[in-house]
RNA sequence: GGAGGAGUGGCCGAGUGGUUGAAGGCAACGGUCUUGAAAACCGUCGCACUCGAAAGGGUGCCGGGGGUUCGAAUCCCUCCUCCUCCA
């Protein structure tokens, strides 16, 4: 870490790449950009034209202004050589004063134009990768693979919101008393199971080349902008009151990706891989009425996140291996799941391609997302200015890295999956073998005494 | 909570109003030399925007923002970050 990078503190609109999509691409090939965005939706396509027009205007002024500046600079050069007491000096100074004012007002107009162009460009989402299926809604998503057998039961499997409280390891009612809706208290073996999962996941990813990181849970606005949560999705975030504004992280992706913000990484070191456990906080704005039962959709949950910084050439191969690393958690736990490639309409704003891992929840007779693995290509890196110098070519200019991340996995949802998939007729739960060593050898969860 | 100090290119570090995009050093790269390497010597070596088919121009950038001035890395204000000391 250099002192420069540590202390860099520029205005977000300057420090962070000013826009997310490659502005040159939009200007040079607007039609190609539009046709790629059509895989998402009409709104994305419509965002291109206004940004394009604003950029043309900006460029015209830029050119004109640069000429004025050149003129002023040349005149200024003259001033240096003139005798300060001569009448020429005074005359020239007056002329320069006017020129200077002219430049200044041009600079103001340019700043305004840049701002409006940037704002418009920030409405343009990332281009979907060519392999992304077109269409909108969950029905257009494509199932890539399915792992394991869907378990069968000689009784009617229960949902975790019944099993958990019956076993005395989950308390929704008291959680609501303390914190309101969308919070859950885990108790006894439930709490231990959650903790065991965190450790198991971190150890697993650690053994597969991810460096473990324990990041801050509160971050500055710049960090949220860097990973794309802001400015568009401010309503989804919790933030602190008062003059020291900080945001509660919605995912460890935010601090971990921003860890290398404003840096030029050594190409030799890529790929750089991290795994991080953290609590996550989401306001879940706009999800009223969705998943109101159980702990599927909470304001606070825990997650182990895996993050990669890679070269553009390797990012799609790295996406496959990242997905496989996330899948490995489910495989070792023996949980039945499937892999889905998200269609353009379901793709996140910053993502070029996303796989969801969906675990089977027999209590709900449904597959539910337990991990989302995405390649953001240079979209986040451009905003956060994360670059690298290609290995073996020290003269090469710095290039933007590609960033990827995925849940590995969402811990609460894994608890749910274990409870639902490994339930027995008597209501007890089998603990998967890899977790037992993290739970003092406990093999089953049975009804616990509670107040 | 109070008082000071600091932030310059990939890194270190000069520079207190004009010829400074910025000395010097390190690292890196090209070359000379060498059987090869090292050392030595010579040369190259920031990022971005913009004009141009290209060659090559122009402009901006010395933590961020604003101000003074004909002109700011340099003076003033403010914010951020780090360091030291005091309570």
């Amino acid at each position: 870490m250099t002192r420069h990078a540590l202390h860099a503190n520029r205005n977000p609109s300057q420090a962070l790449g000013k826009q997310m999509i490659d502005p040159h691409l939009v200007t040079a090939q607007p039609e190609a950009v539009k046709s790629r965005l059509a895989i998402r939706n009409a709104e994305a396509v419509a965002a291109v034209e206004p940004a394009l027009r604003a950029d043309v205007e900006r460029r015209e002024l830029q050119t004109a202004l640069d000429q004025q500046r050149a003129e002023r600079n040349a005149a200024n050069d003259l001033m240096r050589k003139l005798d300060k007491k001569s009448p020429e000096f005074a005359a020239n100074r007056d002329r320069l004063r006017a020129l200077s004012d002219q430049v200044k007002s041009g600079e103001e107009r340019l700043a305004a134009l840049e701002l409006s162009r940037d704002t418009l460009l920030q409405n343009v989402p990332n281009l979907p990768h060519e392999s992304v299926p077109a269409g909108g809604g969950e029905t257009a998503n494509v199932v890539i693979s399915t792992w394991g057998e869907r378990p069968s039961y000689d009784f009617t499997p229960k949902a975790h919101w019944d099993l958990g409280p019956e076993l005395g390891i989950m308390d929704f009612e008291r959680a609501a008393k303390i914190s309101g809706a969308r919070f859950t208290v885990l108790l006894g073996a439930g709490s231990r199971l959650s903790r065991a999962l965190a450790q198991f996941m971190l150890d697993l990813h650690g053994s597969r080349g991810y460096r473990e990181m324990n990041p801050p849970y509160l971050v500055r606005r710049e960090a949220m902008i860097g990973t794309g949560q802001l400015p568009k999705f401010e309503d989804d975030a919790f933030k602190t009151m008062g003059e020291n504004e900080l945001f509660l992280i919605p995912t460890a992706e935010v601090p971990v990706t921003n860890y290398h913000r404003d840096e030029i990484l050594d190409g030799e070191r890529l790929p750089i891989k991290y795994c991080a456990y953290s609590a996550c906080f989401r306001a879940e704005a706009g999800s009223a009425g969705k998943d109101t039962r159980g702990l599927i959709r909470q304001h606070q949950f825990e997650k182990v996140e895996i993050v990669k910084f890679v070269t553009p050439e390797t990012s799609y191969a790295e996406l496959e291996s990242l997905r496989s690393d996330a899948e490995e958690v489910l495989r070792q736990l023996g949980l039945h799941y499937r892999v889905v490639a998200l269609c353009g309409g379901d793709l996140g704003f910053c993502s070029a391609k996303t796989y969801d891992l969906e675990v089977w929840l027999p209590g709900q007779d449904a597959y539910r997302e337990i991990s989302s693995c995405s390649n953001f290509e240079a979209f986040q890196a451009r905003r956060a200015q994360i670059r690298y110098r290609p290995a073996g070519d020290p003269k090469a200019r710095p290039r933007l890295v590609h960033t990827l991340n995925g849940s590995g996995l969402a811990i609460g949802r894994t608890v749910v999956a274990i409870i639902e998939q490994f339930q027995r007729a008597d209501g007890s739960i089998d603990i998967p073998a890899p977790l037992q060593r993290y739970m003092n050898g406990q093999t089953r969860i049975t009804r616990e005494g509670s107040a």
Side-chain angles (χ1 to χ4, degrees):
Chain A
M1 170 61 72
T2 67
R3 200 162 58 179
H4 169 74
L6 259 180
H7 295 210
N9 176 37
R10 286 165 280 161
N11 180 299
S13 64
Q14 285 230 315
L16 309 169
K18 288 191 172 175
Q19 46 280 312
M20 301 158 88
I21 194 166
D22 184 354
H24 294 116
L25 197 58
V26 174
T27 328
Q29 302 177 52
E31 293 314 313
V33 167
K34 282 190 223 171
S35 71
R36 290 274 291 284
L37 288 175
I39 290 172
R40 286 179 175 268
N41 53 48
E43 189 193 352
V45 176
V48 172
E49 204 59 45
L52 187 60
R53 277 199 303 270
D55 191 60
V56 170
E57 207 181 337
R58 185 203 112 258
R59 214 164 44 237
E60 281 168 2
L61 181 61
Q62 174 82 253
T63 308
L65 179 63
D66 280 354
Q67 270 168 17
Q68 284 181 8
R69 281 164 162 169
E71 199 182 329
R72 180 200 57 185
N73 292 347
N76 242 327
D77 248 21
L78 208 67
M79 287 293 280
R80 250 191 311 120
K81 295 165 193 150
L82 288 176
D83 176 4
K84 288 191 174 48
K85 297 201 173 79
S86 69
E88 290 88 349
F89 185 91
N92 213 27
R93 189 183 53 204
D94 291 343
R95 190 171 77 85
L96 265 173
R97 196 173 283 154
L99 252 174
S100 212
D101 287 347
Q102 201 185 341
V103 167
K104 230 168 244 177
S105 76
E107 281 170 348
E108 276 168 27
R109 274 185 298 138
L110 182 65
L113 279 178
E114 279 178 347
L115 185 67
S116 73
R117 178 196 70 153
D118 294 348
T119 309
L120 291 167
L121 267 170
Q122 283 176 4
N123 290 327
V124 183
N126 202 358
L127 300 185
H129 186 251
E130 55 194 12
S131 66
V132 170
E138 283 177 29
T139 49
N141 294 339
V142 176
V143 177
I144 300 287
S145 65
T146 303
W147 187 88
E149 294 282 308
R150 186 180 299 189
S152 60
Y153 305 87
D154 48 15
F155 56 95
T156 305
K158 292 178 173 174
H160 70 279
W161 53 73
D162 291 325
L163 271 170
E166 280 167 22
L167 286 162
I169 60 171
M170 262 181 208
D171 192 333
F172 297 104
E173 289 176 15
R174 287 191 176 98
K177 178 172 69 181
I178 306 165
S179 303
R182 297 197 190 279
F183 287 90
T184 304
V185 170
L186 294 178
L187 294 144
S191 179
R192 281 200 301 282
L193 178 61
S194 175
R195 171 162 57 86
L197 279 167
Q199 256 186 280
F200 165 68
M201 290 177 195
L202 286 170
D203 285 348
L204 178 60
H205 295 309
S207 74
R208 294 165 78 93
Y210 293 86
R211 187 159 187 223
E212 186 175 330
M213 184 190 290
N214 188 334
Y217 294 177
L218 287 160
V219 298
R220 301 159 153 273
R221 174 171 288 271
E222 289 91 322
M224 294 286 277
I225 292 172
T227 30
Q229 278 76 22
L230 296 182
K232 282 197 71 107
F233 307 106
E234 184 146 1
D235 288 350
D236 287 325
F238 287 109
K239 65 179 170 188
T240 59
M241 306 291 287
E243 55 187 61
N244 187 18
E245 175 194 72
L246 288 170
F247 292 83
L248 282 92
I249 57 172
T251 157
E253 164 194 351
V254 177
V256 177
T257 304
N258 278 284
Y259 184 67
H260 288 302
R261 196 175 80 211
D262 282 325
E263 289 185 28
I264 297 175
L265 304 168
D266 181 359
E268 306 274 358
R269 286 182 58 213
L270 299 180
I272 296 174
K273 304 177 3 177
Y274 296 106
C275 59
Y277 159 86
S278 85
C280 305
F281 305 90
R282 296 186 183 177
E284 296 295 351
S287 63
K290 243 170 145 182
D291 302 318
T292 47
R293 291 195 81 181
L295 52 64
I296 291 295
R297 193 175 295 274
Q298 303 275 289
H299 284 315
Q300 174 193 316
F301 61 97
E302 289 162 68
K303 183 158 62 71
V304 168
E305 185 77 0
I306 50 182
V307 176
K308 290 184 182 182
F309 300 84
V310 309
T311 61
E313 290 74 16
T314 59
S315 69
Y316 280 94
E318 294 285 357
L319 176 62
E320 296 303 314
S321 75
L322 180 118
R323 185 191 84 191
S324 163
D325 291 332
E327 285 183 58
E328 185 63 21
V329 178
L330 288 164
R331 287 192 286 250
Q332 292 208 6
L333 293 174
L335 289 166
H336 168 64
Y337 70 93
R338 66 181 189 183
V339 182
V340 168
L342 292 195
C343 67
D346 264 17
L347 215 53
F349 189 83
C350 299
S351 175
K353 180 168 186 175
T354 297
Y355 293 111
D356 274 3
L357 309 188
E358 296 182 336
V359 73
W360 174 246
L361 298 185
Q364 293 157 60
D365 195 34
Y367 290 94
R368 294 304 306 260
E369 178 198 331
I370 196 165
S371 172
S372 199
C373 300
S374 300
N375 184 0
F376 302 96
E377 297 192 3
F379 207 70
Q380 290 180 328
R382 185 171 299 110
R383 303 200 90 188
Q385 285 296 296
I386 306 168
R387 294 174 293 174
Y388 74 101
R389 212 172 285 281
D393 188 3
K395 303 196 84 160
R397 314 169 84 197
R399 301 166 68 198
L400 294 166
V401 300
H402 281 193
T403 60
L404 302 91
N405 68 52
S407 348
L409 310 162
I411 289 170
R413 291 187 180 186
T414 309
V415 169
V416 168
I418 287 170
I419 289 176
E420 294 202 9
Q421 276 201 31
F422 300 143
Q423 62 180 293
R424 299 161 66 121
D426 63 2
S428 66
I429 312 292
D430 286 324
I431 297 173
L435 295 180
Q436 292 170 11
R437 56 180 280 244
Y438 295 103
M439 296 182 71
N440 295 324
Q442 188 177 352
T443 58
R444 281 178 72 188
I445 299 174
T446 51
R447 187 183 179 84
E448 290 186 8
S450 62

